[in-house]
């Protein structure tokens, strides 16, 4: 794994965990990757999908972020499982539910500390809500990884460009059959329909001092 200012991201738009490139620092897979994962069946040892993600990250000595649909005693959510070098770092859920979708909303967004950098996770429809990306940016994420379902006429590509520009961090997206990445300038730096692809991302971020004028008064501030 590269410990410098470059992060090699592998996108698996079509395929499973076995398709991840061995030299990747980070592997990103779409929501459809693992299918439905039951927490109860995982705990009983009837399935080992979370373990498979952890084992793949151990074999590659990298970070693996794989999408799935989780079921916790009937509460279904869109989720991303994140593991690094054999250790399960956590599961991030989509925090927004639209029009009574069968998949409920989880709580909170997460930034994972990894050897590849601070990685923020965006799940499915959370991409439609800029506050999610803003929270990741303010939390110091070096990059945002978005695991999606099928694309809707290119809307997601517009959103990753806009949010990367607004919040100053690169946004990588992996959906079934397509992968893309926008740099903080809002430029689509990478896009590919290939089943497996890779991109070398610079982790350097720029900071600017932004000043605004607003009608406020602080004349009585000393009274507090």
């Amino acid at each position: 794994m590269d410990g410098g200012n470059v992060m090699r991201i592998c996108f698996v738009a079509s395929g499973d965990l076995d398709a991840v490139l061995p030299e990747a620092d980070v592997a990103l897979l779409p929501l459809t990757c693992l299918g439905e994962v039951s927490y109860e069946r995982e705990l009983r040892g009837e399935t080992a999908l979370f373990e498979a993600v952890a084992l793949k990250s151990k074999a590659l000595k990298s970070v693996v972020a794989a999408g799935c649909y989780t079921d916790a005693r009937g509460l279904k959510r869109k989720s991303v499982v994140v593991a690094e070098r054999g250790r399960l770092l956590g599961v991030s859920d989509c925090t927004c539910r639209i029009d009574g979708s069968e998949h409920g909303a989880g709580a909170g967004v997460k930034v994972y500390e990894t050897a590849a950098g601070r990685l923020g996770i965006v799940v499915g429809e959370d991409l439609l809500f800029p506050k999610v990306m803003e929270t990741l940016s303010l939390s110091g994420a070096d990059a945002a990884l978005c695991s999606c379902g099928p694309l809707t006429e290119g809307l997601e590509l517009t959103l990753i460009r806009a949010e990367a520009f607004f919040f100053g961090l690169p946004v990588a997206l992996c959906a079934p059959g397509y992968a893309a990445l926008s740099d903080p300038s809002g430029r689509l730096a990478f896009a590919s329909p290939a089943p497996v692809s890779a991109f070398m991302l610079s982790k350097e971020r720029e900071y600017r001092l932004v000043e605004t004028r607003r009608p406020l008064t602080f004349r009585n501030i000393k009274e507090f």
Side-chain angles (χ1 to χ4, degrees):
M1 182 177 292
D2 192 333
N5 290 325
V6 176
M7 182 191 310
R8 182 177 173 85
I9 303 178
C10 172
F11 301 88
V12 180
S14 299
D16 55 21
L17 293 169
D18 291 334
V20 177
L21 299 175
E23 63 270 26
D25 296 318
V26 177
L28 178 60
L29 300 95
L31 278 177
T32 53
C33 172
L34 300 178
E36 184 168 289
V37 181
S38 166
Y39 282 108
E40 286 187 275
R41 297 186 66 194
E42 285 283 300
L43 290 173
R44 290 198 298 261
E46 296 174 7
T47 61
L49 296 171
F50 287 176
E51 182 183 10
V53 177
L55 290 175
K56 176 56 67 173
S57 72
K58 181 178 181 180
L60 298 173
K61 298 180 180 179
S62 66
V63 179
V64 177
C68 60
Y69 300 93
T70 52
D71 184 346
R73 292 182 176 271
L75 297 176
K76 297 186 177 184
R77 298 184 177 93
K78 296 178 180 180
S79 309
V80 173
V81 183
V82 183
E84 179 184 25
R85 297 186 176 187
R87 184 166 62 98
L88 187 65
L89 300 183
V91 179
S92 291
D93 297 324
C94 182
T95 64
C96 302
R97 183 184 187 189
I98 301 176
D99 290 338
S101 166
E102 66 171 311
H103 295 99
V109 296
K110 298 179 183 178
V111 175
Y112 296 93
E113 294 274 3
T114 75
R118 292 172 55 85
L119 304 176
I121 301 296
V122 181
V123 185
E125 285 80 6
D126 276 357
L127 185 62
L128 303 175
F129 298 89
K131 278 291 184 182
V132 173
M133 197 71 71
E134 181 180 19
T135 300
L136 295 178
S137 179
L138 293 175
S139 299
D142 293 313
L145 307 179
C146 183
S147 178
C148 291
L151 298 183
T152 54
E153 299 181 358
L155 172 62
E156 292 84 355
L157 301 184
T158 300
L159 288 172
I160 66 170
R161 294 179 63 186
E163 294 182 19
F165 175 76
F166 288 145
F167 305 119
L169 78 168
V171 181
L173 176 145
C174 191
Y178 206 81
L181 183 144
S182 175
D183 64 25
S185 71
R187 180 178 64 93
L188 198 62
F190 171 80
S192 174
V196 181
S197 55
F199 181 77
M200 298 291 286
L201 173 67
S202 171
K203 292 188 289 186
E204 295 181 356
R205 296 185 65 184
E206 295 185 17
Y207 293 84
R208 294 289 185 271
L209 176 64
V210 179
E211 299 181 33
T212 61
R213 295 183 63 183
R214 334 177 28 180
L216 294 172
T217 177
F218 290 95
R219 283 176 295 189
N220 299 323
I221 193 69
K222 293 183 180 179
E223 296 179 4
F224 291 91

Coordinates of all heavy atoms in Angstrom, one line a residue, residues 183-213:
D183 N -12.5 15.2 -9.4 CA -11.5 15.9 -8.5 C -12.1 17.1 -7.9 O -13.2 17.6 -8.2 CB -10.2 16.2 -9.3 CG -10.4 17.2 -10.4 OD1 -11.3 18.0 -10.3 OD2 -9.6 17.2 -11.3
P184 N -11.4 17.8 -6.9 CA -12.0 18.9 -6.2 C -12.3 20.1 -7.0 O -13.1 21.0 -6.6 CB -11.0 19.2 -5.1 CG -10.3 17.9 -4.9 CD -10.2 17.3 -6.2
S185 N -11.8 20.2 -8.2 CA -12.1 21.3 -9.1 C -13.5 21.1 -9.8 O -13.9 22.0 -10.6 CB -11.0 21.4 -10.2 OG -11.1 20.4 -11.1
G186 N -14.1 19.9 -9.6 CA -15.3 19.6 -10.3 C -15.2 19.0 -11.7 O -16.1 18.8 -12.4
R187 N -13.9 18.6 -12.0 CA -13.7 18.0 -13.3 C -13.8 16.5 -13.1 O -13.4 15.9 -12.2 CB -12.2 18.3 -13.7 CG -11.8 17.8 -15.0 CD -10.4 18.2 -15.4 NE -9.4 17.7 -14.4 CZ -8.7 16.5 -14.6 NH1 -8.9 15.8 -15.6 NH2 -7.9 16.2 -13.6
L188 N -14.4 15.9 -14.1 CA -14.6 14.4 -14.2 C -13.2 13.9 -14.6 O -12.9 13.8 -15.8 CB -15.7 14.0 -15.1 CG -16.2 12.6 -14.9 CD1 -16.8 12.4 -13.6 CD2 -17.2 12.3 -16.0
A189 N -12.4 13.5 -13.6 CA -11.0 13.1 -13.9 C -10.9 11.7 -14.4 O -10.0 11.3 -15.0 CB -10.2 13.2 -12.6
F190 N -12.0 10.9 -14.1 CA -12.0 9.5 -14.6 C -13.4 9.0 -14.7 O -14.3 9.3 -13.9 CB -11.2 8.6 -13.5 CG -11.3 7.1 -13.7 CD1 -10.6 6.5 -14.7 CD2 -12.3 6.4 -13.0 CE1 -10.7 5.1 -14.9 CE2 -12.4 5.0 -13.2 CZ -11.6 4.4 -14.2
A191 N -13.6 8.2 -15.8 CA -14.9 7.6 -16.0 C -14.7 6.4 -16.9 O -14.0 6.4 -17.9 CB -15.9 8.5 -16.6
S192 N -15.3 5.2 -16.5 CA -15.1 4.0 -17.3 C -16.3 3.0 -17.1 O -16.8 2.8 -16.0 CB -13.8 3.3 -16.9 OG -13.7 2.1 -17.6
P193 N -16.7 2.4 -18.2 CA -17.7 1.3 -18.1 C -17.1 0.0 -18.0 O -17.8 -1.1 -18.0 CB -18.5 1.5 -19.5 CG -17.4 1.9 -20.4 CD -16.5 2.8 -19.6
A194 N -15.8 -0.1 -17.9 CA -15.0 -1.3 -17.8 C -15.4 -2.1 -16.6 O -15.7 -1.5 -15.5 CB -13.5 -1.1 -17.8
P195 N -15.5 -3.4 -16.6 CA -15.8 -4.2 -15.4 C -14.9 -3.9 -14.3 O -15.3 -3.9 -13.1 CB -15.7 -5.7 -15.9 CG -15.9 -5.6 -17.4 CD -15.3 -4.3 -17.8
V196 N -13.6 -3.8 -14.6 CA -12.6 -3.5 -13.5 C -11.7 -2.4 -14.1 O -11.2 -2.5 -15.2 CB -11.8 -4.7 -13.1 CG1 -10.8 -4.4 -12.0 CG2 -12.7 -5.9 -12.7
S197 N -11.5 -1.4 -13.3 CA -10.6 -0.2 -13.7 C -9.9 0.3 -12.5 O -10.2 0.0 -11.3 CB -11.5 0.8 -14.4 OG -12.5 1.3 -13.5
A198 N -8.9 1.2 -12.7 CA -8.2 1.8 -11.6 C -7.8 3.2 -11.9 O -7.7 3.6 -13.1 CB -6.9 1.0 -11.3
F199 N -7.6 4.0 -10.9 CA -7.2 5.4 -11.0 C -6.3 5.8 -9.9 O -6.5 5.4 -8.8 CB -8.5 6.3 -11.0 CG -8.2 7.8 -11.2 CD1 -7.9 8.3 -12.5 CD2 -8.2 8.6 -10.1 CE1 -7.6 9.6 -12.7 CE2 -7.9 10.0 -10.3 CZ -7.6 10.5 -11.6
M200 N -5.2 6.6 -10.3 CA -4.3 7.1 -9.3 C -4.7 8.4 -8.8 O -4.8 9.4 -9.6 CB -2.9 7.1 -9.9 CG -2.3 5.8 -10.3 SD -1.9 4.7 -9.0 CE -0.5 5.5 -8.3
L201 N -5.1 8.5 -7.5 CA -5.7 9.8 -7.0 C -4.7 10.5 -6.1 O -4.1 9.8 -5.2 CB -6.9 9.5 -6.2 CG -7.5 10.6 -5.4 CD1 -8.1 11.7 -6.3 CD2 -8.6 10.1 -4.5
S202 N -4.5 11.7 -6.3 CA -3.6 12.5 -5.4 C -4.4 12.9 -4.2 O -5.6 13.3 -4.2 CB -3.2 13.8 -6.1 OG -2.5 14.7 -5.2
K203 N -3.8 12.7 -3.0 CA -4.5 13.0 -1.7 C -4.3 14.4 -1.2 O -4.8 14.8 -0.2 CB -4.0 12.0 -0.7 CG -4.4 10.6 -0.9 CD -4.1 9.7 0.3 CE -2.6 9.4 0.4 NZ -2.3 8.4 1.5
E204 N -3.6 15.2 -2.0 CA -3.3 16.6 -1.5 C -4.6 17.4 -1.6 O -5.3 17.4 -2.6 CB -2.2 17.2 -2.4 CG -0.9 16.6 -2.2 CD 0.2 17.3 -3.0 OE1 -0.1 18.2 -3.8 OE2 1.4 16.9 -2.9
R205 N -4.9 18.2 -0.6 CA -6.0 19.1 -0.6 C -5.6 20.5 -0.4 O -4.6 20.8 0.2 CB -7.0 18.7 0.6 CG -7.6 17.3 0.5 CD -8.6 17.1 1.6 NE -9.7 17.9 1.5 CZ -10.7 18.0 2.4 NH1 -10.7 17.2 3.4 NH2 -11.8 18.8 2.2
E206 N -6.4 21.4 -1.0 CA -6.1 22.8 -1.0 C -7.1 23.5 0.0 O -8.2 23.1 0.1 CB -6.2 23.5 -2.3 CG -5.2 23.0 -3.3 CD -5.3 23.8 -4.6 OE1 -6.0 24.9 -4.6 OE2 -4.8 23.3 -5.6
Y207 N -6.6 24.5 0.7 CA -7.4 25.2 1.7 C -7.4 26.7 1.3 O -6.4 27.2 0.9 CB -7.0 25.0 3.1 CG -7.2 23.6 3.6 CD1 -6.2 22.6 3.3 CD2 -8.3 23.2 4.3 CE1 -6.4 21.3 3.7 CE2 -8.5 21.9 4.7 CZ -7.5 20.9 4.4 OH -7.7 19.6 4.8
R208 N -8.6 27.3 1.5 CA -8.7 28.8 1.2 C -9.4 29.4 2.4 O -10.3 28.9 3.0 CB -9.5 29.0 -0.1 CG -8.8 28.5 -1.3 CD -7.6 29.4 -1.7 NE -7.0 29.0 -2.9 CZ -6.1 28.1 -3.1 NH1 -5.6 27.5 -2.0 NH2 -5.6 27.8 -4.3
L209 N -9.0 30.7 2.7 CA -9.7 31.5 3.7 C -10.9 32.2 3.0 O -10.7 32.9 2.0 CB -8.8 32.5 4.3 CG -9.4 33.5 5.2 CD1 -9.9 32.8 6.5 CD2 -8.4 34.6 5.6
V210 N -12.1 31.9 3.4 CA -13.3 32.5 2.8 C -13.9 33.4 3.9 O -14.2 33.0 5.0 CB -14.3 31.4 2.4 CG1 -15.6 32.0 1.8 CG2 -13.7 30.4 1.4
E211 N -14.1 34.7 3.5 CA -14.8 35.7 4.3 C -16.1 36.1 3.7 O -16.2 36.3 2.5 CB -13.8 36.9 4.5 CG -12.5 36.5 5.2 CD -11.6 37.7 5.4 OE1 -12.2 38.8 5.7 OE2 -10.4 37.6 5.3
T212 N -17.1 36.3 4.6 CA -18.4 36.8 4.1 C -18.8 38.0 5.0 O -18.4 38.1 6.2 CB -19.4 35.7 4.1 OG1 -19.6 35.3 5.5 CG2 -19.1 34.6 3.2
R213 N -19.7 38.8 4.5 CA -20.3 39.9 5.3 C -21.8 39.6 5.5 O -22.5 39.2 4.6 CB -20.2 41.2 4.6 CG -18.7 41.6 4.5 CD -18.6 43.0 3.8 NE -19.2 44.0 4.7 CZ -19.3 45.3 4.3 NH1 -18.9 45.7 3.1 NH2 -19.9 46.2 5.1

